[in-house]
Amino acid sequence: MNSVKKHTLLLIDDKPANLIALKSILESPDREIICCNSGNEGLQILLKEKISLILVDVQMPEMDGYEFVEITKQHPNTANIPTLFVTAISNEEKYINKAYELGAIDFLFKPLNIEITRNKVESFLKIWDYDQELKRLNEKLVAKNGELEQFANIIAHDLKTPLNNIKSLVEFIEEEHLLDLKEEATDLFEMVKSSAMTMSKLIDDLLYYSKNVENNEGKESINILSEVNAVLKLINPGNNIQITKENLNHTIRFQSVAFKQIIQNLLSNAIKYNDKEMTEIRISYNDALQQIAVTDNGPGIPESQAEKIFQMFYTLGQSSRGDSGTGIGLNLVRKLAERNDAKVSINSQFKRGSEFILSALESA
């Protein structure tokens, strides 16, 4: 049974005897070794074969080793193939510098030391393997990102379709029953349309964010009070929910969409899991500590679960209103904060409910 060839080596030397000697040193069951007598012949082979390592003689007629390497480094398909110069000329600094400037990775000096030759070739083949593995992983990552982007587009479409239907239905009802509607009902219909449009815009923003924002890019100066008010307009808390804003008229550097999403998730959780007749929530900014606190008068979170709640798909079970979370919200909150060089944590010492802290904020 023939062994599978893992690497293909290209040896270039104008003297056949040198090629025979070098090939005998490097032969291995998992290697294919191709020999040729000129740089031009070597270039032809590179067009047809996938080469892992090139060993080229420096002194050759017509095209020497330097010229050969200069040509290979200019072509994207061959530029990254590791190349070793094999030479009998002096190892003076000017020759070595010229080779490195051209893109060679090392030298083998004649007469060849068998052990050094084998070890160097083995080392550079390992580097080639690592490089190929990184390329494969990168290709997988690009493919996965493409799938995620497609998934995000599908989700955005599926979310916006019912929103557009709601808007159309409300407009239809208004047109058909305009004279029958009382002033209060007209105002409610306007609120429904406004909320649907705001939600549609948020979906567009989140889709843009997921496709275009990585790490901490896209930070801008935002006013905390304006961003919080935009979120409150979106979630439209009911009469049994009291939200207090303290010292929020300050400017920080943060991704606007990410900040709104963080605040919306924290407020939604505070409302959903509250067990009191009147839900009380306070949003405050401490400019000295550069942190935002979102506190509520709900049942609180057991200290043993203070860190677990940020894990993906971890939930506290059903809320007092019978809702159950997906376990994604707080994990997303932490990820969005980290993308902005900030931190999200829970103050486990807060005993009158829950207190979430968004800290390490950058003032503008």
Side-chain angles (χ1 to χ4, degrees), residues 69-99:
V69 170
E70 190 169 10
I71 293 171
T72 62
K73 296 305 175 185
Q74 290 173 0
H75 197 288
N77 291 342
T78 56
N80 294 321
I81 301 175
T83 305
L84 282 165
F85 272 136
V86 183
T87 180
I89 63 174
S90 168
N91 60 354
E92 288 180 23
E93 189 174 327
K94 62 179 180 180
Y95 295 110
I96 295 174
N97 287 342
K98 182 179 179 181

